[in-house]
Amino acid sequence: MATFADLMLGNLSGDAVTLADLTLVQAAEAVRDGDATSRDLLDACWQRMEAVNPTLNATIWVDRAGAVQAATAADAARDTNSWSGPLHGVPLAHKDMYYQAGKRCTCGSRLRTDFVPDYTSTAIERLSTAGAYSFAGLNMAEFAQNPTGHNREFGDCHNPWNPPYITGGSSSGSGAAVAARFVYAALGSDTGGSIRLPASACGVTGLKPTQTRVSRYGAMPLSFSLDNVGPLTRTARDCARVMSLIAGRDPKDPTSSHLPVPDYEGALDGDVRGMRIGIPTNYFFDGADSAVSQAIETAAEVLRARGASVTRLTLPVMDAVTGYGGIISRVEAATIHAEWMRHRAQDYAQHLSGRMYPGFAIPAPYYVESLSRRGPVLRAFAAEVFAQVDVLATPTIRTALPTLAETDIDNGPPGTEVTFLAVSANTRPFNYLGLPAISIPCGFDANGLPIGLQLAGRPFAEARLLRMADAYQLDTDWHTRRPPLLGTTSDNPGIILA
Amino acid sequence: MDPFLAETELTITRWHGVTAPNEPARRMAADLINTIAAFEALRGTLQFEDEPASFEAALLDTRETP
């Protein structure tokens, strides 16, 4: 099985390398070009999953029979030159909150253990139309409401780079499965950082699109105003391919944008000359770990060497961004869960019911004020910031990654919630502002856990962010490192400490 | 019990029929005092014309153009 993989991944060698190590784009091309069958890909992913998942706990359910059926159908279609699209025959798996008609969807919670939706989410539908199929429901924070990956009902998800540490959440299984290379790409959702945090913690690429860019139809709601659907992948190019498929107007989600979808993959030309990068001097580095700060500076230098300029700037209206941004999701989540909070509160983990509970005490005028100020705050932020720079560069997580134990509110001492909530301090602002932001790996901390570089831009600047992320990945190899769990290869030692 | 927390718990029970499910819930409810402080600091910025739909308009007006 390693023969084709060795061919595609000339820099890798060793027994541990399989077709599961291909990127999403490589896997799709392998099927298209007849170098591998869909069944080959599925078997490689399945074999890898069986090897590493007992350590990671990245899945909630698996569907071997359905996946084999889909792979067989894809291969039969290929034999008759009947192509579905740019992901023909590629096995995927997604955060277990995307509805698929007739398939179990737990939302990571005891309260939805047996829930079977009767309709399919638009994002899943579009990936399916492109030829992909899914073989598992991936672990996640209960109802997508923690930044760490804890899950009382289905078990905590563990970091492939060092299992006692958090994966980041709430798309914990998506981050872990892509990093452990048993899923080529996975959908996550991002209301306060839930795509970018696991991308950062697990060393993969994750994009939170502009608010309204991707339909939320059929995705479990957490906060109607702040929820976003987006991909976690190994590379920016993979991310671009998924975005090209899932973005765009959906009549089933009236909030989705009418703007045309650019050719994200076609924009990846490595050219960042003239692009202006801004590194904030306020907020995003407050209390940052020195290894994290240094990694961001070094990453900026890589992009400067490619022709981008790097400047420092003070961000405006950050008090409003953080003050108002903290209100909306708490109120909306409390409202959505009110009936269960009244009658089945003990069926939530403590950290979850504990976070929702104060939402009931926030006065309606505070909530409306937070929504009302969102437009004016965005205008003020954009006018000042994007007059000076095109892209902001910050750490995705500003501290060294904590362990699961250090952030376990349910079993930890009072005050644990401070460490828990600090994980998402750098991602939440871009949810309130509605801006697109991508996290890409840019180093490792002293404990061998990945560090994420967060790039954020104007509304609908996904193409620019993907181009910059891809350019960075052309000059660095952080995204190609393999977690030690997968075994090392002679040419790629995996982890290198900062 | 802290008077602010007692008042908050009473309000939540009266208005929503929800009781504090655990100690972390009480700790996080007590922390609402900081939310009030954050909003106090922002007083004076809200404009009469501001309304929720302006966010979607702002996204379009400030967007990246080719």
Side-chain angles (χ1 to χ4, degrees):
Chain A
M1 185 170 286
T3 306
F4 177 68
D6 288 343
L7 182 67
M8 294 288 286
L9 306 169
N11 61 326
L12 292 178
S13 61
D15 293 339
V17 178
T18 77
L19 287 174
D21 288 278
L22 298 176
T23 67
L24 174 73
V25 169
Q26 289 171 336
E29 289 174 352
V31 174
R32 185 197 63 196
D33 297 343
D35 293 317
T37 65
S38 178
R39 183 62 189 269
D40 290 337
L41 299 183
L42 176 63
D43 288 346
C45 291
W46 200 273
Q47 188 176 19
R48 173 70 55 71
M49 180 177 70
E50 288 189 326
V52 301
N53 205 38
T55 302
L56 302 180
N57 193 36
T59 63
I60 290 178
W61 55 262
V62 295
D63 179 13
R64 172 76 178 170
V68 168
Q69 189 176 16
T72 303
D75 290 333
R78 188 191 68 168
D79 291 344
T80 59
N81 277 329
S82 176
W83 296 97
S84 301
L87 293 181
H88 184 100
V90 178
L92 303 176
H94 308 292
K95 186 177 190 178
D96 196 24
M97 54 166 274
Y98 286 93
Y99 300 170
Q100 299 178 72
K103 281 194 174 182
R104 181 185 182 205
C105 186
T106 67
C107 303
S109 169
R110 180 180 302 173
L111 287 153
R112 287 225 143 172
T113 300
D114 300 317
F115 173 61
V116 178
D118 60 4
Y119 62 102
T120 298
S121 79
T122 294
I124 296 284
E125 197 78 61
R126 289 178 174 177
L127 292 173
S128 177
T129 300
Y133 56 92
S134 57
F135 64 91
L138 299 177
N139 204 349
M140 58 181 285
E142 281 185 59
F143 288 113
Q145 288 197 56
N146 75 50
T148 55
H150 288 91
N151 188 300
R152 181 186 67 168
E153 187 65 19
F154 299 103
D156 300 338
C157 193
H158 295 266
N159 194 304
W161 292 92
N162 202 342
Y165 286 80
I166 66 167
T167 54
S170 61
S171 311
S172 51
S174 300
V178 172
R181 303 185 180 194
F182 70 80
V183 173
Y184 296 113
L187 291 177
S189 68
D190 194 316
T191 304
S194 288
I195 289 172
R196 291 161 287 159
L197 296 173
S200 176
C202 296
V204 301
T205 301
L207 175 67
K208 181 205 91 71
T210 306
Q211 194 78 47
T212 72
R213 181 72 287 188
V214 179
S215 167
R216 287 99 54 89
Y217 178 77
M220 179 212 78
L222 162 56
S223 169
F224 299 117
S225 301
L226 302 179
D227 290 343
N228 292 276
V229 169
L232 290 95
T233 60
R234 294 247 317 279
T235 69
R237 183 168 293 277
D238 290 352
C239 212
R241 178 158 300 190
V242 176
M243 275 298 295
S244 292
L245 296 170
I246 64 174
R249 175 68 181 170
D250 174 19
K252 294 175 181 171
D253 177 358
T255 68
S256 61
S257 174
H258 288 268
L259 289 179
V261 178
D263 178 3
Y264 295 120
E265 202 172 342
L268 307 183
D269 59 5
D271 187 1
V272 296
R273 287 174 298 174
M275 286 196 197
R276 302 167 301 166
I277 299 171
I279 298 180
T281 55
N282 58 328
Y283 185 78
F284 284 91
F285 289 87
D286 293 349
D289 185 84
S290 60
V292 173
S293 300
Q294 187 55 53
I296 303 306
E297 295 290 341
T298 303
E301 283 306 310
V302 170
L303 290 164
R304 192 205 301 266
R306 269 201 169 251
S309 63
V310 180
T311 57
R312 318 275 156 178
L313 77 169
T314 301
L315 301 180
V317 294
M318 285 306 292
D319 286 346
V321 170
T322 56
Y324 291 136
I327 291 295
I328 295 173
S329 65
R330 280 197 283 175
V331 172
E332 292 182 352
T335 305
I336 291 170
H337 288 267
E339 284 303 325
W340 282 328
M341 282 291 286
R342 270 188 278 276
H343 305 297
R344 298 184 63 180
Q346 300 313 317
D347 286 335
Y348 293 104
Q350 289 191 37
H351 67 262
L352 174 49
S353 57
R355 283 185 85 187
M356 286 193 289
Y357 178 69
F360 291 105
I362 294 171
Y366 272 28
Y367 171 69
V368 175
E369 180 177 342
S370 298
L371 287 176
S372 300
R373 293 295 298 154
R374 201 176 177 197
V377 168
L378 169 59
R379 288 179 193 277
F381 186 91
E384 188 167 335
V385 170
F386 296 121
Q388 300 175 67
V389 301
D390 300 305
V391 171
L392 291 171
T394 79
T396 309
I397 300 172
R398 65 175 75 156
T399 60
L401 207 63
T403 64
L404 284 159
E406 288 166 344
T407 50
D408 184 356
I409 291 178
D410 289 34
N411 299 298
T416 305
E417 54 266 27
V418 175
T419 309
F420 174 96
L421 292 171
V423 171
S424 57
N426 276 9
T427 50
R428 278 181 269 132
F430 296 121
N431 291 80
Y432 182 71
L433 291 165
L435 302 177
I438 192 169
S439 181
I440 54 177
C442 69
F444 290 91
D445 68 22
N447 298 314
L449 279 307
I451 296 170
L453 165 67
Q454 178 174 236
L455 302 171
R458 282 180 178 274
F460 301 99
E462 285 85 357
R464 183 189 293 277
L465 299 182
L466 287 162
R467 182 194 290 184
M468 186 168 280
D470 175 67
Y472 179 76
Q473 292 180 340
L474 290 174
D475 287 340
T476 59
D477 67 354
W478 304 111
H479 63 292
T480 68
R481 307 289 178 93
R482 294 160 56 87
L485 181 74
L486 306 187
T488 55
T489 64
S490 56
D491 297 329
N492 190 324
I495 195 167
I496 294 178
L497 297 180
Chain B
M1 182 189 285
D2 165 34
F4 174 77
L5 177 58
E7 184 184 331
T8 300
E9 286 200 49
L10 188 64
T11 299
I12 293 174
T13 302
R14 180 173 294 155
W15 283 83
H16 303 285
V18 174
T19 54
N22 47 54
E23 277 309 308
R26 290 192 177 88
R27 289 202 299 272
M28 288 189 247
D31 192 55
L32 283 173
I33 198 82
N34 292 317
T35 299
I36 294 172
F39 269 69
E40 282 176 346
L42 292 167
R43 283 177 190 167
T45 59
L46 183 65
Q47 303 295 312
F48 178 74
E49 292 83 1
D50 293 349
E51 49 89 19
S54 67
F55 173 65
E56 281 71 25
L59 278 178
L60 293 173
D61 291 346
T62 61
R63 73 181 183 272
E64 176 109 334
T65 50

